[in-house]
Amino acid sequence: MRYDKVGSVMTTDVVHAAYSTPFKEVARLLADHRISGLPVVDDDDKVIGVVSETDLMARQATAPGPHGEKYRAPLNQLTRGARKQAAKARARTAGDLMSDPPVTVHAENTIVEAARTMAERRVERLPVLDEEDRLVGIVTRRDLLQVFLRPDDEIRGEVIDEVLVHALWLPPRGVEVAVAEGVVTLTGHMERKTETEIAVSMTRQIDGVVDVIDNLTYRLDDARIREGQALHGAADDWLRGL
């Protein structure tokens, strides 16, 4: 199965800052490039943190009001998070502003892995690292969504080649494959129930597939194979890996 790598959709011209980059320069970089965050790197291009618009807003949140009234810290100011926000409000450089440790991804990671990381860590962008953990790009949610722009014909071809022919050893026309707006419909008759389940499962994993409609039938219901019973068939290696 082929998964598009993060390196295939990332932006390589990365706007970044150094630890000592002044506060106003960070704000200028975000505004000039119309981005909401950027990585902070050391002298070896290793990512040490990330600065977002939210980090900069910490200073605005503690600025005096229109009538000169001073900001009053909340009663929970002694919590770790509150102390961190207070420090950012006094920040003068990117190093003081940044959130760390950074959430990153490697160029060889799959788009699925990057999307899962974004969702779990609730971030909108990920600095992309090479094999030596140096910054080589950045990937955003919008970049990851490009996978769903794959043409239907391209998806159909991959289902036939990777799933039906190479994985299940079926003739190219053994199962009818139709794709419309990323929704794949599988229609046909197969030998075993487990083979239909594998066909549907592997198709779901293909880049750009939105959903799979299962219209497959089977001759033999082998779903309840006795424990220890030997498997014999085209997709047995795949089954053993489950």
Side-chain angles (χ1 to χ4, degrees), residues 32-103:
D32 289 350
H33 294 275
R34 297 182 179 181
I35 54 179
S36 58
L38 51 78
V40 181
V41 301
D42 61 14
D43 294 336
D44 197 31
D45 283 337
K46 301 288 182 64
V47 180
I48 56 177
V50 174
V51 175
S52 69
E53 291 174 327
T54 302
D55 296 323
L56 272 71
M57 289 300 294
R59 176 179 287 274
Q60 290 296 105
T62 58
H67 303 294
E69 63 271 19
K70 293 183 178 181
Y71 168 76
R72 294 183 181 276
L75 295 177
N76 64 350
Q77 186 67 60
L78 295 180
T79 65
R80 185 172 181 272
R83 290 197 302 272
K84 207 166 185 178
Q85 283 299 103
K88 289 183 179 183
R90 300 188 298 271
R92 296 184 178 181
T93 66
D96 298 328
L97 280 168
M98 70 183 187
S99 298
D100 64 304
V103 182

Side-chain angles (χ1 to χ4, degrees), residues 83-218:
R83 290 197 302 272
K84 207 166 185 178
Q85 283 299 103
K88 289 183 179 183
R90 300 188 298 271
R92 296 184 178 181
T93 66
D96 298 328
L97 280 168
M98 70 183 187
S99 298
D100 64 304
V103 182
T104 61
V105 68
H106 282 82
E108 286 303 307
N109 287 139
T110 66
I111 288 177
V112 172
E113 291 170 326
R116 185 177 297 120
T117 298
M118 281 189 180
E120 291 175 350
R121 302 300 296 272
R122 298 181 181 180
V123 294
E124 297 181 358
R125 72 197 62 78
L126 293 170
V128 183
L129 314 180
D130 62 12
E131 298 85 350
E132 298 179 348
D133 290 336
R134 290 188 172 89
L135 180 68
V136 291
I138 196 160
V139 65
T140 66
R141 291 178 179 178
R142 180 174 297 179
D143 295 327
L144 298 186
L145 288 175
Q146 290 182 24
V147 68
F148 292 108
L149 300 180
R150 290 187 71 190
D152 288 341
D153 287 345
E154 185 176 313
I155 295 174
R156 180 177 182 274
E158 186 169 346
V159 173
I160 293 173
D161 293 340
E162 299 296 330
V163 178
L164 302 182
V165 176
H166 292 117
L168 295 172
W169 302 351
L170 295 174
R173 299 182 183 276
V175 170
E176 181 183 344
V177 181
V179 186
E181 297 295 325
V183 178
V184 180
T185 301
L186 301 176
T187 306
H189 187 75
M190 304 181 76
E191 179 66 16
R192 301 188 299 174
K193 180 179 180 180
T194 50
E195 291 177 341
T196 66
E197 294 171 345
I198 291 170
V200 172
S201 177
M202 293 185 74
T203 299
R204 288 189 189 280
Q205 297 175 46
I206 289 178
D207 295 330
V209 171
V210 176
D211 197 6
V212 178
I213 298 174
D214 178 9
N215 289 335
L216 296 171
T217 59
Y218 51 86

